[in-house]
Amino acid sequence: MIVHVYQTITIRSLTINSLANSSVFQVGSAGLVKSLSNNFNTGGFTGPAPEIGETVSSPGAALPSVPLVPLPALR
């Protein structure tokens, strides 16, 4: 069976709030969907992440007395 699909798609505005690693965004119809995965080292990391609970600090460096990330205020 041969199916021919003819379509015209006009998009005036498109907003995507979230796109995760396994998301598929498609406009129109496709006879074949090919997957693509790109991983980029944007942080310039040279080794694996430390294990959970492992302390990470430089030798001789003092630990900060305040958190490094903003935390919500306690009520």
Side-chain angles (χ1 to χ4, degrees):
M1 180 168 114
I2 298 174
V3 177
H4 295 278
V5 177
Y6 299 97
Q7 63 186 23
T8 300
I9 299 173
T10 302
I11 300 173
R12 295 185 186 270
S13 177
L14 175 67
T15 301
I16 300 175
N17 291 327
S18 176
L19 196 64
N21 290 345
S22 60
S23 296
V24 174
F25 175 73
Q26 178 179 332
V27 174
S29 57
L32 179 64
V33 176
K34 296 181 181 179
S35 63
L36 173 65
S37 177
N38 292 321
N39 294 318
F40 299 101
N41 183 8
T42 57
F45 300 103
T46 58
E51 294 293 327
I52 295 175
E54 187 177 327
T55 304
V56 179
S57 63
S58 302
L63 295 176
S65 60
V66 294
L68 299 175
V69 294
L71 300 174
L74 297 176
R75 294 182 184 194

